[in-house]
Amino acid sequence: MNLLHAPSMSSRFENPFLPHVRRHVTIDRTGRERVRLSTPAEWKSFSCNSGNEFPRRGKLDKASRRVYAPIASVARTEGTASIQETDILQVKGVTYRPPGSDATLLDNVSFSLPEKSLGLLYGPSGSGKTTLLQVLGGLATPTNGTIYIGNNSTDSTKNPHGPGSLSARVGIVFQFPERFFLTDTIVEELIFGWSRQTQDPVLRQTQTLKLQSAVYAVGLSGLPLDMNPRNLSDGYKRRLALAVQLVRMPEIMLLDEPLAGLDWRARADVVKLLSALKKEKTIIVVSHDLRELSPIVDRAWQMEMGGVLTQQPWTSTVTK
Ligand SMILES: Nc1ncnc2c1ncn2[C@@H]1O[C@H](COP(=O)(O)OP(=O)(O)OP(=O)(O)O)[C@@H](O)[C@H]1O
């Protein structure tokens, strides 16, 4: 192996998803990055590869920055796949007609969204907003067009993702998600669908860490995990519904009317939570609550009847 490994770095992970986790980064001369995560001793030692995203400079401590800066610049100039600081969702010319129907629910929809930002999708009832979320989440296959979860807009090597791969990379929280809780405890709700058979300790520890991270990220860590989710307040039910998706570690979160049916206090709470989440996730929200969401919206689109999407300058949107 002719790769010269740079010194390993360690920096505390300053994000709400992985509290108390130390991150050890090694980057070879080709710019390929290996990330090892380790938890404090009381959680037992564990490590895994966690993709190839560059750590952002601001997240590294001073010593790590000194080591990291020259390595990062080598990686960037060599143009490797590790240069993924600006992951983008790109939707190009997507049309959707349900199988066996002539109705066009989405008509040549195109848009993109930068990583770690929040896009707002609004429009009249029946215009096709939920349909678009279903297509983005891989629950329906576009009749035409392509959806990319790409690296950047000029990267010609990125591949379109079929519905199967989309559903693995996208988490959808439908309207009134608490109506679909299936189990009698918070923890069962979170791990629903996980294999109970696995004896692989690394996989088990990875799953445990994901669970802890999701619970912490939505502010449920103070609650007993054996609590019945139906006994949670409305706002906390929404938090749990978000955690159910976050635990799958999706790259993009799609939320259909996350404020619907909540009182003012819970609504403000959810807006605050989304504001924190978008520091780590790319989020698309379908909502009619433009004013409440406006402070955290980075990009906005209006869906018109017939599934026609137009991007809106956000400043003019909020004054409507
Ligand atoms: N399988 C289907 N076949 C035909 N039409 C459908 C199908 N599914 C949904 N529709 C229609 O597509 C249109 C768009 O529905 P969709 O639920 O996406 O709208 P929406 O903008 O999310 O509405 P709302 O704000 O009320 O949730 C509606 O007129 C709906 O009746």
Side-chain angles (χ1 to χ4, degrees):
M1 194 170 178
N2 58 1
L3 299 177
L4 176 63
H5 281 77
S8 177
M9 295 175 294
S10 173
S11 63
R12 192 170 289 282
F13 217 105
E14 292 172 11
N15 85 34
F17 295 92
L18 294 167
H20 316 307
V21 173
R22 292 196 79 78
R23 174 174 175 154
H24 309 268
V25 184
T26 310
I27 302 172
D28 65 45
R29 290 184 71 194
T30 69
R32 200 176 300 275
E33 178 185 289
R34 286 178 68 81
V35 178
R36 190 165 61 83
L37 305 178
S38 64
T39 60
E42 64 267 26
W43 289 5
K44 293 183 183 172
S45 167
F46 127 91
S47 70
C48 68
N49 289 328
S50 81
N52 50 11
E53 183 193 12
F54 269 103
R56 290 192 305 176
R57 278 168 153 244
K59 289 187 174 176
L60 298 174
D61 60 33
K62 207 171 167 186
S64 298
R65 263 206 306 276
R66 262 202 308 274
V67 178
Y68 180 75
I71 303 163
S73 100
V74 169
R76 287 197 183 87
T77 54
E78 291 186 4
T80 69
S82 294
I83 307 170
Q84 294 179 15
E85 290 176 307
T86 53
D87 271 352
I88 292 177
L89 168 69
Q90 293 181 29
V91 177
K92 294 186 175 175
V94 165
T95 295
Y96 178 67
R97 287 182 214 96
S101 166
D102 287 339
T104 300
L105 306 191
L106 298 177
D107 189 359
N108 198 22
V109 167
S110 297
F111 69 94
S112 69
L113 183 64
E115 190 186 19
K116 295 178 187 174
S117 58
L118 188 143
L120 172 67
L121 180 57
Y122 65 96
S125 187
S127 56
K129 305 181 295 296
T130 300
T131 303
L132 179 55
L133 292 195
Q134 289 171 344
V135 167
L136 294 177
L139 301 177
T141 307
T143 312
N144 288 111
T146 322
I147 298 165
Y148 298 95
I149 301 177
N151 304 336
N152 65 60
S153 59
T154 58
D155 182 2
S156 59
T157 63
K158 62 185 180 297
N159 295 314
H161 299 282
S165 59
L166 279 177
S167 60
R169 304 175 75 175
V170 173
I172 306 186
V173 181
F174 289 107
Q175 211 168 344
F176 303 114
E178 55 277 3
R179 293 179 187 170
F180 307 106
F181 287 159
L182 296 167
T183 68
D184 294 330
T185 65
I186 291 174
V187 70
E188 284 177 308
E189 204 59 42
L190 288 166
I191 66 172
F192 191 83
W194 285 5
S195 168
R196 312 285 166 91
Q197 307 305 322
T198 181
Q199 298 300 314
D200 181 348
V202 175
L203 182 58
R204 280 182 168 229
Q205 285 165 342
T206 305
Q207 289 178 331
T208 303
L209 185 61
K210 284 180 180 176
L211 189 145
Q212 289 172 325
S213 302
V215 165
Y216 180 87
V218 300
L220 288 178
S221 27
L223 295 175
L225 293 183
D226 59 354
M227 186 176 173
N228 191 319
R230 289 167 199 84
N231 295 334
L232 293 169
S233 69
D234 288 346
Y236 272 73
K237 285 175 182 163
R238 295 288 159 90
R239 287 171 183 252
L240 175 57
L242 281 166
V244 167
Q245 292 303 316
L246 286 174
V247 88
R248 299 171 50 237
M249 305 291 268
E251 291 158 70
I252 297 174
M253 290 284 284
L254 309 175
L255 314 179
D256 200 352
E257 296 287 0
L259 307 185
L262 299 179
D263 65 25
W264 66 270
R265 196 188 301 267
R267 292 161 75 91
D269 205 36
V270 172
V271 172
K272 203 169 151 194
L273 175 59
L274 294 182
S275 176
L277 283 179
K278 78 165 187 165
K279 292 181 181 144
E280 295 303 325
K281 295 284 171 192
T282 307
I283 303 172
I284 294 182
V285 174
V286 166
S287 184
H288 295 102
D289 304 300
L290 308 193
R291 285 193 182 278
E292 280 163 288
L293 289 166
S294 65
I296 61 170
V297 170
D298 299 294
R299 200 165 283 182
W301 310 276
Q302 181 168 20
M303 184 74 87
E304 292 158 26
M305 295 306 285
V308 177
L309 192 79
T310 50
Q311 186 164 337
Q312 299 297 314
W314 182 238
T315 45
S316 66
T317 300
V318 291
T319 58
K320 279 182 182 176

